[in-house]
Amino acid sequence: MFNESKLSKKTVTYTLLMLATFALLTRLLAGYTYLHRFDLNYYIHWSTGVHDGLFQAYENISSLDYPPMWLIPMYIVGFFTKNPVIQGIEPYYILSLKIFQILFDVAVIPLIYFVLRKKGQVCALILAASWAINPAAIVNSGYWGQTDSVMIFLLLISFYYMEEKRPIAAMVWYCIACLTKFQCLYFAPVLLLYLFFSSYPVKTVIKAVCAGAVTVLAVFLPFMCYSGITLPFRVYFGGHNQYREATLNAFNIYGMMGLNRQSDTVPIFGNITLNMISWGITALILGFVVWLFFKAPKKSPWLLCFVLMQSIFMLTSRMHERYQIPVLIFCLAAVAYHKNYKLFGAYILQTVLVFFNEALLLIRNTFSYSAPWVEHYGVVVVVFSAVNVVVYLYTMTVALREMQDEKGGRINDNI
């Protein structure tokens, strides 16, 4: 598609600077003009609460269900939220609650280029540009102020190091990701498969595991001194058990069945609950990913993570609407690594669905009076979920065919 000669460092730098500037201004404008406190009230409470004692935060803040690394940005944000001048100007106040999310989302853009540049500089720049204008990312960080961009940034680094055969660095960065956001744990199976079954020397594997363990302990230990040695279990398992609905506005198979915000602990067949079925499906998904790792002729951690998270989001319970956004970044990376334009088509389709999943809920919960379809939101979830199921089947077909090395959808290797 592109017959590329090597781009100059100056060209790359200017291009990335323009993309980052555009993305930053777009997201800052969104964050400044879209005023709401939907979910941001948690950040208000946390950012002020950590100033009463950072390491005592889990004892002092009842609503705190994030791992401890996120408390560092919250501590900094607390200086803004406590400032009387900023408190008196609502747009500044709301923007201060979104600022770290926005900055990480912008930082993802040059990181995409850095991670993918060896697969073609022009290709890497195009994919970086696609994130700069990605409407799902803009809504997530700029409008809503969610932390998924932080997770995406850290996961990109950790899997890049694993792809570069630097497992110790990969484990450290992955543990930092998990110490920042609970949902990073979903990707552990793929990372561990590459760690334990990539012919690394035993000494290297042990060093990687120890480096990860030390990272986790170093971050958690000061908090455990005040909250007890069981704190990590309370943070991670408590967060998962806090929401027991079949789906929380997520466009997946349970949304298609009209089970939005319905409990998954109610027996449906004898003593069998939907949650039990979901755990069974999770085991099947993990088994399938393991099988692909060992049997697929052509694979990458990017494509395996895409298959894993797509399937978990679409087929298991307790999914939130935002939990699908990480599949976008893994699909984007897979485009460069596998040179398959159908994967880019899958990225576009999934971007549209994630955008609507976020935007429709955000409008419903902030400016519902301006959304005449709100009273029919249950029907909206069913319809969009059905569309997403179809898109899921298509994206899985594209991904699995690519891993089986079938012909078709190839992009020129010189992109």
Side-chain angles (χ1 to χ4, degrees), residues 285-359:
I285 293 170
L286 293 178
F288 183 58
V289 170
V290 171
W291 181 84
L292 286 173
F293 176 82
F294 288 107
K295 296 297 184 180
K298 192 175 182 182
K299 58 185 177 291
S300 70
W302 312 106
L303 208 48
L304 286 173
C305 283
F306 175 73
V307 170
L308 174 67
M309 195 61 216
Q310 270 282 71
S311 299
I312 286 177
F313 178 84
M314 294 301 301
L315 304 177
T316 67
S317 64
R318 305 189 183 186
M319 290 292 112
H320 294 231
E321 65 292 321
R322 297 170 292 102
Y323 287 7
Q324 197 173 22
I325 196 169
V327 307
L328 302 181
I329 204 68
F330 285 104
C331 188
L332 201 61
V335 172
Y337 274 79
H338 293 269
K339 302 294 185 183
N340 189 322
Y341 72 82
K342 290 184 179 180
L343 286 173
F344 191 70
Y347 164 78
I348 294 174
L349 286 173
Q350 209 59 76
T351 291
V352 172
L353 268 299
V354 174
F355 166 76
F356 278 113
N357 206 167
E358 293 178 331

Coordinates of all heavy atoms in Angstrom, one line a residue, residues 285-359:
I285 N -12.8 -20.1 27.7 CA -12.1 -19.1 27.0 C -10.6 -19.2 27.3 O -9.8 -19.2 26.3 CB -12.6 -17.7 27.4 CG1 -14.0 -17.5 26.9 CG2 -11.7 -16.6 26.8 CD1 -14.7 -16.2 27.4
L286 N -10.2 -19.4 28.5 CA -8.8 -19.5 28.9 C -8.2 -20.8 28.3 O -7.1 -20.7 27.7 CB -8.7 -19.6 30.4 CG -9.0 -18.3 31.2 CD1 -8.9 -18.5 32.7 CD2 -8.2 -17.1 30.7
G287 N -9.0 -21.9 28.3 CA -8.5 -23.1 27.6 C -8.3 -22.9 26.2 O -7.3 -23.4 25.6
F288 N -9.2 -22.2 25.5 CA -9.1 -21.9 24.1 C -7.9 -21.1 23.8 O -7.1 -21.3 22.8 CB -10.4 -21.2 23.6 CG -10.4 -21.0 22.1 CD1 -10.3 -22.0 21.2 CD2 -10.5 -19.7 21.6 CE1 -10.3 -21.8 19.8 CE2 -10.5 -19.5 20.2 CZ -10.4 -20.5 19.4
V289 N -7.6 -20.0 24.6 CA -6.4 -19.2 24.4 C -5.1 -20.0 24.6 O -4.2 -19.8 23.8 CB -6.5 -18.0 25.3 CG1 -5.2 -17.2 25.3 CG2 -7.6 -17.0 24.9
V290 N -5.1 -20.8 25.6 CA -3.9 -21.7 25.8 C -3.7 -22.6 24.5 O -2.6 -22.8 24.1 CB -4.1 -22.5 27.0 CG1 -3.0 -23.6 27.1 CG2 -4.1 -21.7 28.3
W291 N -4.8 -23.2 24.0 CA -4.7 -24.0 22.8 C -4.2 -23.2 21.6 O -3.3 -23.7 20.9 CB -6.1 -24.6 22.5 CG -6.1 -25.5 21.3 CD1 -5.8 -26.8 21.3 CD2 -6.4 -25.1 20.0 NE1 -5.9 -27.3 20.0 CE2 -6.3 -26.3 19.2 CE3 -6.8 -24.0 19.4 CZ2 -6.5 -26.3 17.8 CZ3 -7.1 -24.0 18.0 CH2 -6.9 -25.1 17.3
L292 N -4.7 -22.0 21.5 CA -4.2 -21.2 20.4 C -2.7 -20.9 20.5 O -2.0 -20.9 19.6 CB -5.0 -19.9 20.3 CG -6.4 -19.9 19.8 CD1 -7.1 -18.6 20.0 CD2 -6.4 -20.3 18.3
F293 N -2.3 -20.6 21.8 CA -0.9 -20.3 22.0 C 0.0 -21.5 21.5 O 1.1 -21.2 20.9 CB -0.6 -20.1 23.5 CG 0.8 -19.8 23.9 CD1 1.4 -18.6 23.7 CD2 1.6 -20.9 24.4 CE1 2.7 -18.4 24.0 CE2 2.9 -20.6 24.7 CZ 3.5 -19.4 24.5
F294 N -0.4 -22.7 21.8 CA 0.5 -23.8 21.5 C 0.2 -24.3 20.0 O 1.1 -24.9 19.4 CB 0.2 -25.0 22.5 CG 0.8 -24.7 23.8 CD1 0.0 -24.4 24.9 CD2 2.2 -24.8 24.0 CE1 0.5 -24.2 26.1 CE2 2.7 -24.5 25.3 CZ 1.9 -24.2 26.3
K295 N -1.0 -24.1 19.5 CA -1.3 -24.8 18.2 C -1.4 -23.8 17.0 O -1.3 -24.3 15.9 CB -2.6 -25.5 18.4 CG -2.6 -26.7 19.4 CD -1.6 -27.8 18.9 CE -1.6 -29.0 19.9 NZ -0.6 -30.0 19.4
A296 N -1.7 -22.5 17.3 CA -1.9 -21.6 16.1 C -0.6 -21.4 15.4 O 0.4 -21.1 16.1 CB -2.5 -20.3 16.6
P297 N -0.5 -21.6 14.1 CA 0.7 -21.4 13.4 C 1.3 -20.0 13.4 O 2.5 -19.8 13.4 CB 0.3 -21.8 11.9 CG -0.9 -22.6 12.0 CD -1.6 -22.0 13.2
K298 N 0.4 -19.0 13.5 CA 0.8 -17.6 13.4 C 0.0 -16.8 14.5 O -1.2 -16.7 14.5 CB 0.5 -17.1 12.1 CG 1.1 -15.7 11.8 CD 0.8 -15.3 10.3 CE 1.5 -14.0 10.0 NZ 1.1 -13.6 8.6
K299 N 0.8 -16.4 15.5 CA 0.2 -15.7 16.6 C 1.1 -14.6 17.1 O 2.2 -14.5 16.8 CB -0.1 -16.7 17.7 CG 1.1 -17.4 18.2 CD 0.8 -18.4 19.3 CE 2.0 -19.2 19.7 NZ 2.5 -20.1 18.6
S300 N 0.5 -13.7 18.0 CA 1.3 -12.7 18.7 C 0.5 -12.4 20.0 O -0.7 -12.7 20.1 CB 1.3 -11.4 17.8 OG 0.0 -10.8 17.8
P301 N 1.2 -11.9 21.0 CA 0.5 -11.6 22.2 C -0.6 -10.6 22.0 O -1.6 -10.6 22.7 CB 1.6 -11.0 23.1 CG 2.7 -10.6 22.2 CD 2.7 -11.6 21.1
W302 N -0.5 -9.7 21.0 CA -1.5 -8.7 20.7 C -2.8 -9.4 20.2 O -3.9 -9.0 20.7 CB -1.0 -7.7 19.6 CG 0.4 -7.2 19.9 CD1 1.5 -7.6 19.2 CD2 0.8 -6.3 20.9 NE1 2.6 -6.9 19.8 CE2 2.2 -6.1 20.8 CE3 0.1 -5.6 21.8 CZ2 2.9 -5.2 21.6 CZ3 0.8 -4.7 22.7 CH2 2.1 -4.5 22.6
L303 N -2.7 -10.3 19.3 CA -3.8 -11.0 18.8 C -4.5 -11.9 19.8 O -5.7 -12.0 19.9 CB -3.5 -11.7 17.5 CG -4.6 -11.9 16.5 CD1 -5.3 -10.6 16.2 CD2 -4.1 -12.5 15.2
L304 N -3.6 -12.6 20.6 CA -4.2 -13.4 21.7 C -4.9 -12.6 22.7 O -6.0 -13.1 23.2 CB -3.0 -14.2 22.3 CG -2.4 -15.4 21.5 CD1 -1.2 -16.0 22.1 CD2 -3.5 -16.5 21.2
C305 N -4.4 -11.5 23.1 CA -5.1 -10.6 24.1 C -6.4 -10.1 23.5 O -7.4 -9.9 24.2 CB -4.2 -9.5 24.5 SG -2.9 -9.9 25.7
F306 N -6.3 -9.8 22.2 CA -7.6 -9.3 21.5 C -8.7 -10.4 21.6 O -9.8 -10.2 22.0 CB -7.3 -9.0 20.1 CG -8.5 -8.7 19.3 CD1 -9.1 -7.4 19.5 CD2 -9.0 -9.5 18.3 CE1 -10.3 -7.1 18.7 CE2 -10.1 -9.2 17.6 CZ -10.8 -8.0 17.8
V307 N -8.3 -11.6 21.3 CA -9.3 -12.8 21.3 C -9.7 -13.0 22.8 O -10.9 -13.2 23.0 CB -8.6 -14.0 20.8 CG1 -9.5 -15.3 21.0 CG2 -8.4 -13.9 19.3
L308 N -8.8 -12.9 23.7 CA -9.1 -13.2 25.1 C -10.1 -12.2 25.6 O -11.2 -12.5 26.2 CB -7.8 -13.2 26.0 CG -8.0 -13.2 27.5 CD1 -8.6 -14.6 27.9 CD2 -6.7 -13.0 28.2
M309 N -9.8 -10.8 25.5 CA -10.6 -9.8 26.1 C -11.9 -9.7 25.3 O -13.0 -9.4 26.0 CB -9.9 -8.5 26.1 CG -10.5 -7.5 27.1 SD -10.6 -8.1 28.8 CE -12.2 -7.4 29.3
Q310 N -11.9 -9.8 24.0 CA -13.2 -9.8 23.3 C -14.1 -10.8 23.8 O -15.3 -10.6 24.0 CB -12.9 -10.0 21.8 CG -12.6 -8.8 21.0 CD -13.9 -8.0 20.6 OE1 -14.5 -7.4 21.5 NE2 -14.3 -8.0 19.4
S311 N -13.6 -12.0 24.0 CA -14.5 -13.2 24.4 C -14.9 -13.0 25.9 O -16.1 -13.3 26.2 CB -13.7 -14.5 24.3 OG -13.4 -14.7 22.9
I312 N -14.1 -12.5 26.7 CA -14.5 -12.3 28.1 C -15.5 -11.2 28.2 O -16.5 -11.4 28.9 CB -13.2 -11.9 29.0 CG1 -12.4 -13.2 29.2 CG2 -13.7 -11.3 30.3 CD1 -11.1 -12.9 30.0
F313 N -15.3 -10.1 27.5 CA -16.3 -9.1 27.5 C -17.7 -9.5 27.0 O -18.7 -9.2 27.5 CB -15.8 -7.9 26.7 CG -16.8 -6.7 26.6 CD1 -16.9 -5.8 27.7 CD2 -17.7 -6.6 25.6 CE1 -17.8 -4.8 27.6 CE2 -18.7 -5.6 25.6 CZ -18.7 -4.6 26.6
M314 N -17.7 -10.2 25.9 CA -18.9 -10.6 25.2 C -19.7 -11.8 25.9 O -20.9 -11.9 25.8 CB -18.6 -10.9 23.7 CG -18.2 -9.8 22.9 SD -19.3 -8.4 22.8 CE -20.8 -9.2 22.2
L315 N -18.9 -12.7 26.6 CA -19.5 -13.9 27.0 C -19.6 -14.1 28.5 O -20.2 -15.1 28.9 CB -18.8 -15.1 26.4 CG -18.7 -15.1 24.8 CD1 -17.8 -16.3 24.4 CD2 -20.0 -15.1 24.2
T316 N -19.0 -13.2 29.3 CA -19.0 -13.4 30.7 C -19.8 -12.3 31.4 O -19.9 -11.2 30.8 CB -17.6 -13.5 31.3 OG1 -16.9 -12.3 31.2 CG2 -16.8 -14.6 30.6
S317 N -20.2 -12.6 32.6 CA -21.0 -11.6 33.3 C -20.2 -10.6 34.1 O -19.0 -10.6 34.1 CB -22.0 -12.3 34.3 OG -21.2 -13.0 35.3
R318 N -20.8 -9.6 34.7 CA -20.2 -8.5 35.5 C -19.3 -7.6 34.7 O -18.4 -7.0 35.2 CB -19.5 -9.1 36.7 CG -20.4 -10.0 37.5 CD -19.7 -10.3 38.8 NE -20.5 -11.3 39.6 CZ -20.3 -11.7 40.8 NH1 -19.2 -11.3 41.5 NH2 -21.1 -12.5 41.4
M319 N -19.6 -7.5 33.4 CA -18.9 -6.6 32.5 C -19.5 -5.2 32.5 O -20.7 -5.0 32.4 CB -18.9 -7.1 31.1 CG -18.0 -8.3 30.9 SD -16.2 -8.1 31.1 CE -16.0 -9.0 32.6
H320 N -18.7 -4.2 32.6 CA -19.1 -2.8 32.5 C -18.9 -2.4 31.0 O -18.2 -3.0 30.2 CB -18.2 -1.8 33.3 CG -18.4 -2.1 34.8 ND1 -18.7 -1.1 35.7 CD2 -18.3 -3.2 35.6 CE1 -18.8 -1.6 36.9 NE2 -18.5 -2.9 36.9
E321 N -19.6 -1.3 30.7 CA -19.6 -0.8 29.3 C -18.2 -0.5 28.8 O -17.9 -0.6 27.6 CB -20.5 0.5 29.1 CG -20.0 1.7 29.9 CD -20.1 1.5 31.4 OE1 -21.1 0.9 31.9 OE2 -19.2 2.0 32.1
R322 N -17.3 -0.1 29.7 CA -15.9 0.4 29.3 C -14.9 -0.8 29.1 O -13.8 -0.5 28.7 CB -15.4 1.4 30.3 CG -16.2 2.7 30.4 CD -15.8 3.5 31.6 NE -16.1 2.9 32.8 CZ -15.2 2.3 33.6 NH1 -14.0 2.1 33.2 NH2 -15.6 1.8 34.8
Y323 N -15.3 -1.9 29.6 CA -14.3 -3.0 29.7 C -13.9 -3.5 28.3 O -12.9 -4.3 28.2 CB -14.9 -4.2 30.5 CG -14.9 -4.0 32.0 CD1 -14.6 -2.7 32.5 CD2 -15.3 -5.0 32.8 CE1 -14.7 -2.5 33.9 CE2 -15.3 -4.8 34.2 CZ -15.0 -3.6 34.7 OH -15.1 -3.3 36.1
Q324 N -14.6 -3.1 27.3 CA -14.2 -3.5 25.9 C -13.1 -2.6 25.3 O -12.5 -3.0 24.3 CB -15.4 -3.6 25.0 CG -15.2 -4.4 23.7 CD -16.4 -4.6 22.9 OE1 -17.4 -3.9 23.0 NE2 -16.4 -5.7 22.1
I325 N -12.9 -1.5 25.8 CA -12.0 -0.5 25.2 C -10.5 -1.1 25.0 O -9.8 -0.7 24.1 CB -12.0 0.9 25.8 CG1 -11.4 1.9 24.9 CG2 -11.3 0.8 27.2 CD1 -11.6 3.3 25.4
P326 N -10.0 -1.9 25.9 CA -8.6 -2.4 25.7 C -8.5 -3.2 24.5 O -7.4 -3.3 23.9 CB -8.4 -3.3 27.0 CG -9.3 -2.8 28.0 CD -10.5 -2.3 27.3
V327 N -9.6 -3.9 24.0 CA -9.4 -4.7 22.8 C -9.0 -3.8 21.6 O -8.4 -4.3 20.6 CB -10.7 -5.5 22.4 CG1 -11.2 -6.3 23.6 CG2 -11.8 -4.6 21.9
L328 N -9.4 -2.5 21.6 CA -9.0 -1.6 20.5 C -7.5 -1.5 20.4 O -7.0 -1.6 19.3 CB -9.7 -0.2 20.7 CG -11.2 -0.2 20.9 CD1 -11.7 1.2 21.1 CD2 -11.9 -0.8 19.7
I329 N -6.8 -1.3 21.5 CA -5.4 -1.1 21.4 C -4.7 -2.4 21.0 O -3.7 -2.4 20.2 CB -4.8 -0.5 22.7 CG1 -3.5 0.2 22.4 CG2 -4.6 -1.6 23.7 CD1 -3.6 1.5 21.6
F330 N -5.2 -3.5 21.4 CA -4.5 -4.8 21.0 C -4.8 -5.1 19.5 O -4.0 -5.6 18.8 CB -5.0 -5.9 21.9 CG -4.4 -5.9 23.3 CD1 -5.1 -5.4 24.4 CD2 -3.1 -6.3 23.5 CE1 -4.5 -5.4 25.6 CE2 -2.5 -6.2 24.7 CZ -3.2 -5.8 25.8
C331 N -6.0 -4.8 19.1 CA -6.3 -5.0 17.7 C -5.5 -4.0 16.8 O -5.0 -4.4 15.8 CB -7.8 -4.7 17.4 SG -8.4 -5.1 15.8
L332 N -5.3 -2.8 17.3 CA -4.5 -1.8 16.5 C -3.0 -2.3 16.4 O -2.4 -2.3 15.3 CB -4.5 -0.5 17.3 CG -4.1 0.8 16.5 CD1 -5.1 0.9 15.3 CD2 -4.2 2.0 17.4
A333 N -2.5 -2.8 17.5 CA -1.1 -3.4 17.5 C -1.0 -4.6 16.6 O 0.0 -4.8 15.8 CB -0.6 -3.7 18.9
A334 N -2.1 -5.4 16.6 CA -2.1 -6.6 15.7 C -2.1 -6.3 14.3 O -1.5 -7.0 13.4 CB -3.3 -7.5 16.1
V335 N -2.7 -5.1 13.9 CA -2.7 -4.7 12.5 C -1.2 -4.5 12.0 O -0.9 -5.0 10.9 CB -3.4 -3.3 12.3 CG1 -3.2 -2.8 10.9 CG2 -4.9 -3.5 12.6
A336 N -0.4 -3.9 12.8 CA 1.0 -3.7 12.4 C 1.8 -5.0 12.4 O 2.6 -5.3 11.5 CB 1.7 -2.7 13.3
Y337 N 1.6 -5.8 13.4 CA 2.3 -7.1 13.5 C 1.9 -8.1 12.5 O 2.8 -9.0 12.1 CB 2.2 -7.6 14.9 CG 3.2 -7.0 15.9 CD1 3.0 -5.8 16.4 CD2 4.4 -7.7 16.2 CE1 4.0 -5.2 17.3 CE2 5.3 -7.2 17.1 CZ 5.1 -5.9 17.6 OH 6.1 -5.4 18.4
H338 N 0.7 -8.1 12.1 CA 0.2 -9.2 11.2 C -0.1 -8.7 9.8 O -0.4 -9.5 8.9 CB -1.1 -9.8 11.8 CG -0.8 -10.6 13.0 ND1 -0.6 -11.9 13.0 CD2 -0.8 -10.2 14.3 CE1 -0.4 -12.3 14.3 NE2 -0.6 -11.3 15.1
K339 N 0.0 -7.3 9.6 CA -0.2 -6.8 8.2 C -1.5 -7.2 7.6 O -1.5 -7.7 6.4 CB 1.0 -7.1 7.4 CG 2.4 -6.7 7.9 CD 2.5 -5.1 7.9 CE 3.9 -4.7 8.3 NZ 4.0 -3.2 8.5
N340 N -2.6 -7.1 8.3 CA -3.9 -7.6 7.8 C -4.9 -6.5 7.9 O -5.2 -6.0 8.9 CB -4.3 -8.8 8.7 CG -5.5 -9.5 8.1 OD1 -6.4 -8.8 7.6 ND2 -5.6 -10.8 8.2
Y341 N -5.3 -6.0 6.7 CA -6.2 -4.8 6.7 C -7.6 -5.2 7.3 O -8.3 -4.3 7.7 CB -6.4 -4.3 5.3 CG -7.2 -5.1 4.3 CD1 -8.6 -5.1 4.3 CD2 -6.5 -6.0 3.4 CE1 -9.3 -5.8 3.4 CE2 -7.3 -6.7 2.5 CZ -8.7 -6.7 2.5 OH -9.4 -7.4 1.7
K342 N -8.0 -6.5 7.3 CA -9.2 -6.8 7.9 C -9.2 -6.6 9.4 O -10.2 -6.3 10.0 CB -9.6 -8.3 7.6 CG -9.9 -8.5 6.1 CD -10.3 -10.0 5.8 CE -10.7 -10.2 4.4 NZ -11.1 -11.6 4.1
L343 N -8.0 -6.7 10.0 CA -7.9 -6.4 11.4 C -8.2 -4.9 11.7 O -8.8 -4.5 12.7 CB -6.6 -6.8 11.9 CG -6.3 -8.3 12.1 CD1 -4.8 -8.6 12.5 CD2 -7.2 -8.9 13.2
F344 N -7.7 -4.1 10.7 CA -8.0 -2.7 10.9 C -9.5 -2.4 10.7 O -10.1 -1.5 11.4 CB -7.2 -1.8 9.8 CG -7.3 -0.4 10.1 CD1 -6.6 0.2 11.2 CD2 -8.0 0.5 9.3 CE1 -6.6 1.5 11.4 CE2 -8.0 1.9 9.5 CZ -7.4 2.4 10.6
G345 N -10.2 -3.1 9.8 CA -11.6 -3.0 9.7 C -12.3 -3.4 11.0 O -13.3 -2.8 11.4
A346 N -11.8 -4.5 11.6 CA -12.3 -4.9 12.9 C -12.1 -3.8 14.0 O -13.0 -3.6 14.8 CB -11.6 -6.2 13.4
Y347 N -11.0 -3.2 13.9 CA -10.7 -2.1 14.9 C -11.7 -0.9 14.7 O -12.2 -0.4 15.7 CB -9.3 -1.6 14.6 CG -9.0 -0.2 15.2 CD1 -8.7 -0.1 16.6 CD2 -8.9 0.9 14.4 CE1 -8.4 1.2 17.1 CE2 -8.6 2.2 15.0 CZ -8.4 2.3 16.3 OH -8.1 3.5 16.9
I348 N -12.0 -0.6 13.4 CA -13.0 0.5 13.2 C -14.4 0.1 13.7 O -15.1 0.9 14.3 CB -13.0 0.8 11.7 CG1 -11.6 1.5 11.3 CG2 -14.1 1.8 11.4 CD1 -11.5 1.7 9.8
L349 N -14.8 -1.1 13.3 CA -16.1 -1.6 13.7 C -16.3 -1.6 15.2 O -17.3 -1.1 15.8 CB -16.4 -3.0 13.2 CG -16.7 -3.1 11.7 CD1 -16.8 -4.5 11.3 CD2 -18.0 -2.4 11.4
Q350 N -15.2 -2.1 15.9 CA -15.3 -2.2 17.3 C -15.2 -0.8 18.0 O -15.8 -0.6 19.0 CB -14.2 -3.1 17.9 CG -14.5 -3.8 19.2 CD -15.7 -4.7 19.0 OE1 -15.7 -5.7 18.4 NE2 -16.9 -4.2 19.5
T351 N -14.5 0.1 17.4 CA -14.4 1.5 17.9 C -15.8 2.1 17.9 O -16.2 2.8 18.9 CB -13.5 2.3 17.0 OG1 -12.1 1.9 17.2 CG2 -13.6 3.8 17.4
V352 N -16.5 1.9 16.8 CA -17.9 2.5 16.7 C -18.8 1.9 17.9 O -19.5 2.7 18.5 CB -18.5 2.2 15.4 CG1 -20.0 2.6 15.3 CG2 -17.7 2.9 14.2
L353 N -18.7 0.6 18.1 CA -19.5 0.0 19.1 C -19.1 0.5 20.5 O -20.0 0.8 21.4 CB -19.5 -1.5 19.0 CG -20.5 -2.2 18.2 CD1 -21.9 -2.0 18.7 CD2 -20.5 -1.8 16.7
V354 N -17.8 0.6 20.8 CA -17.4 1.0 22.1 C -17.8 2.5 22.3 O -18.2 2.9 23.4 CB -15.8 0.9 22.2 CG1 -15.4 1.5 23.5 CG2 -15.5 -0.6 22.2
F355 N -17.7 3.3 21.3 CA -18.1 4.7 21.3 C -19.5 4.8 21.8 O -19.9 5.5 22.7 CB -17.8 5.4 20.0 CG -18.6 6.7 19.9 CD1 -18.1 7.8 20.5 CD2 -19.7 6.8 19.1 CE1 -18.7 9.0 20.4 CE2 -20.4 8.0 19.0 CZ -19.9 9.2 19.7
F356 N -20.4 4.1 21.1 CA -21.8 4.2 21.4 C -22.1 3.6 22.8 O -23.0 4.1 23.6 CB -22.7 3.4 20.4 CG -23.0 4.2 19.2 CD1 -22.4 3.9 17.9 CD2 -23.8 5.4 19.2 CE1 -22.7 4.7 16.8 CE2 -24.0 6.1 18.1 CZ -23.5 5.8 16.9
N357 N -21.4 2.5 23.2 CA -21.6 2.0 24.5 C -21.3 3.0 25.6 O -21.9 3.0 26.6 CB -20.7 0.7 24.7 CG -21.3 -0.3 25.7 OD1 -20.9 -1.4 25.7 ND2 -22.3 0.1 26.5
E358 N -20.2 3.7 25.4 CA -19.8 4.8 26.4 C -20.7 6.0 26.3 O -21.3 6.5 27.3 CB -18.4 5.2 26.1 CG -17.4 4.1 26.4 CD -16.0 4.6 26.1 OE1 -15.8 5.5 25.2 OE2 -15.0 4.1 26.8
A359 N -20.9 6.5 25.1 CA -21.6 7.8 24.9 C -23.0 7.7 25.3 O -23.5 8.7 25.9 CB -21.4 8.2 23.4

